[in-house]
Amino acid sequence: MIPGARLIILGRQGAGKGTQCVRLSRHYVVPHISTGEMLRASVREGTELGLAAREIMDSGGLVGDEIMIGIVDDRLSRDDARTRGYILDGFPRTVKQAEALFEITDRLRKPLDIVIDLDVPRDRVLQRITARRVCRDCGTNYVAGPVDRRPWICDVCGGDVVQRDDDTPDAINQRLDLYESQTSPLIEFYGEREMLVVIDGVGHPDEVLNRLVYAIDQRRRPPA
Ligand code: AMP
C-alpha cells in the first residue's frame, strides 16, 4: 500500500505550488486541497461564500480567518483526508489559521508530517505569474508564450484558458506584499516547531518534484 501524507506547502504565489501539489497528490494518492481553488469554485457557483469572497479576492486581500478555518475544518474532517491525508495549498496564510490548524489536527489525532516552504525569489515569481494562464473550468495551469493564444482551449477538458482576474500586476504586487507581511511569520512559526523544510523551487518541475519527495520521505521515515 502507498503510504499517504499530511503536508502543508507554503510559498509565494507563483512559486509552482499548484503544479507540484497536483504531482504530489498523484504520488501519495492524497487529495490536493487548495483553498484558493475552493473559493474560486464558490465564486463560479455563485454561493453565498463566493459572493462574499469575490471582491476580496479580486483586490488581492485575504478572506477572513474564521471563514477559512471553517472551510478547512470541514474539508479535513472528510473521509478521504482522514484516511489518506492531504496536501494543503494556500492554507494556513496567517498565524491564527496555523494555530487553528493545530487544534483541528489534534482533534482528528492526525498530526502534520511536514511543512514545506517552496522557495522561489520574488522577481522570479513575478515573471511567472504574469505569464500564468488557467483553465476556467478544471483549473489546469498553462504558461503563455510571447504571443497570447486567443481563443485558448484547455487540452484536458476543452474549457476556456484565461488569465485569472487576480493576476493583474497591481493585484499580484499586493498579494506578494501580503505574503511577506502575513505569511512569512508562518515560516518562523513552523521553523520554531522544527516542522519546516525549505525546498529550492527553481528548476525543472521534475527536479523540484524529486527534491520534494525526497524531503517528505525522509521526514516520514521512522527514526532509526
Ligand atoms: P490562491 O489561489 O492560493 O493564490 O488564493 C487566491 C485568493 O483566495 C487569495 O488571494 C485570497 O484572497 C483567497 N484565499 C485563499 N486561501 C486563503 C486563506 N487561507 N486565507 C485567506 N484568504 C485566502
Side-chain angles (χ1 to χ4, degrees):
M1 179 173 144
I2 302 165
R6 288 185 292 274
L7 18 136
I8 294 177
I9 301 235
L10 301 174
R12 293 187 172 88
Q13 293 82 0
K17 279 178 303 183
T19 306
Q20 294 301 336
C21 286
V22 171
R23 290 163 169 238
L24 287 171
S25 130
R26 287 195 194 120
H27 185 92
Y28 291 107
V29 196
V30 295
H32 167 208
I33 301 177
S34 154
T35 46
E37 198 43 58
M38 289 166 90
L39 291 171
R40 281 187 289 280
S42 303
V43 171
R44 282 196 297 273
E45 288 157 16
T47 63
E48 206 176 312
L49 167 67
L51 292 176
R54 179 171 196 155
E55 217 172 300
I56 302 172
M57 292 171 74
D58 284 351
S59 68
L62 285 183
V63 175
D65 284 334
E66 296 305 325
I67 295 177
M68 297 311 302
I69 291 164
I71 294 174
V72 169
D73 193 349
D74 286 350
R75 185 62 191 88
L76 297 192
S77 303
R78 278 171 36 192
D79 280 350
D80 58 345
R82 287 176 81 125
T83 52
R84 296 286 317 157
Y86 46 82
I87 298 163
L88 208 42
D89 165 17
F91 186 97
R93 268 210 177 50
T94 64
V95 169
K96 185 153 183 228
Q97 293 180 9
E99 283 165 348
L101 184 59
F102 266 131
E103 285 169 27
I104 296 168
T105 53
D106 276 356
R107 196 191 71 231
L108 298 171
R109 293 173 209 240
K110 304 269 183 184
L112 288 166
D113 293 318
I114 182 173
V115 179
I116 289 166
D117 174 20
L118 189 60
D119 187 36
V120 176
R122 182 165 172 146
D123 55 339
R124 294 288 285 260
V125 300
L126 258 169
Q127 284 170 9
R128 284 190 190 178
I129 301 177
T130 313
R132 178 160 75 182
R133 300 294 180 273
V134 61
C135 172
R136 214 197 290 270
D137 291 338
C138 71
T140 300
N141 280 325
Y142 294 90
V143 180
V147 182
D148 216 355
R149 289 160 52 184
R150 279 172 190 274
W152 188 342
I153 303 300
C154 177
D155 298 333
V156 178
C157 76
D160 287 334
V161 176
V162 296
Q163 187 160 29
R164 259 168 52 175
D165 291 345
D166 58 352
D167 276 352
T168 61
D170 279 355
I172 295 168
N173 270 308
Q174 195 189 341
R175 273 149 66 208
L176 288 173
D177 288 347
L178 254 176
Y179 178 81
E180 308 300 342
S181 66
Q182 289 198 283
T183 314
S184 292
L186 293 174
I187 289 173
E188 206 173 309
F189 179 93
Y190 286 118
E192 280 166 3
R193 288 160 181 78
E194 298 186 358
M195 296 173 73
L196 185 82
V197 176
V198 180
I199 302 288
D200 178 6
V202 178
H204 189 281
D206 292 347
E207 266 172 49
V208 178
L209 179 69
N210 286 341
R211 287 178 209 145
L212 288 165
V213 167
Y214 181 77
I216 295 163
D217 289 349
Q218 290 278 89
R219 190 71 189 204
R220 290 180 325 153
R221 199 169 294 157

